[in-house]
Amino acid sequence: ECGQHTEENTITFAKNAVLRFLTFYKTLETPVDLTHTPSTIIHITDTIYPTSTSFQFLPHPMVNFTLFKKGEIYAHDGEKSYVANNDSAIVFPSKEIKLGVEACFLGTYTIES
């Protein structure tokens, strides 16, 4: 997974992943730097379904893999606020909110160095 296909950094991320893979297996004449960068590990814990037509992410529009700290508000749905119970990440936020269809997945995250 390299991210949302409409985001500019997805192409760079995918290209770097392929170059690192090819370098690791020694298939490139000029290897790339394999300096380790921290990884964010996301475990999907919940699916968020809107309960009203006024559901809106904060910030709006929401970007895939946005990270929130515990206690931060990440959406409003009518009078309801969605608050992160843990350090959380939004995964695959929908650009078009529809009742009965998931608005996003929610996951907990850890950053491994």
Side-chain angles (χ1 to χ4, degrees):
E1 178 61 48
C2 293
Q4 185 70 10
H5 71 281
T6 57
E7 293 177 17
E8 290 182 28
N9 64 347
T10 299
I11 294 170
T12 301
F13 185 87
K15 179 182 172 185
N16 289 340
V18 169
L19 289 173
R20 289 173 62 84
F21 176 88
L22 294 173
T23 296
F24 180 82
Y25 286 102
K26 298 177 174 59
T27 59
L28 294 177
E29 288 182 27
T30 307
V32 298
D33 180 16
L34 290 177
T35 303
H36 179 74
T37 55
S39 298
T40 302
I41 309 299
I42 300 172
H43 298 276
I44 302 299
T45 58
D46 203 0
T47 304
I48 305 302
Y49 292 94
T51 59
S52 77
T53 56
S54 63
F55 182 97
Q56 187 171 22
F57 290 111
L58 301 173
H60 181 76
M62 180 63 71
V63 177
N64 199 25
F65 303 123
T66 297
L67 304 179
F68 293 94
K69 292 290 186 184
K70 180 179 179 176
E72 286 187 73
I73 297 172
Y74 60 88
H76 285 297
D77 192 358
E79 298 295 316
K80 179 180 181 179
S81 293
Y82 286 87
V83 180
N85 293 328
N86 302 293
D87 290 350
S88 301
I90 299 292
V91 181
F92 302 138
S94 179
K95 294 186 187 291
E96 188 176 333
I97 301 300
K98 296 179 182 177
L99 290 176
V101 178
E102 66 269 359
C104 67
F105 298 102
L106 187 66
T108 58
Y109 70 89
T110 54
I111 299 176
E112 296 182 350
S113 51

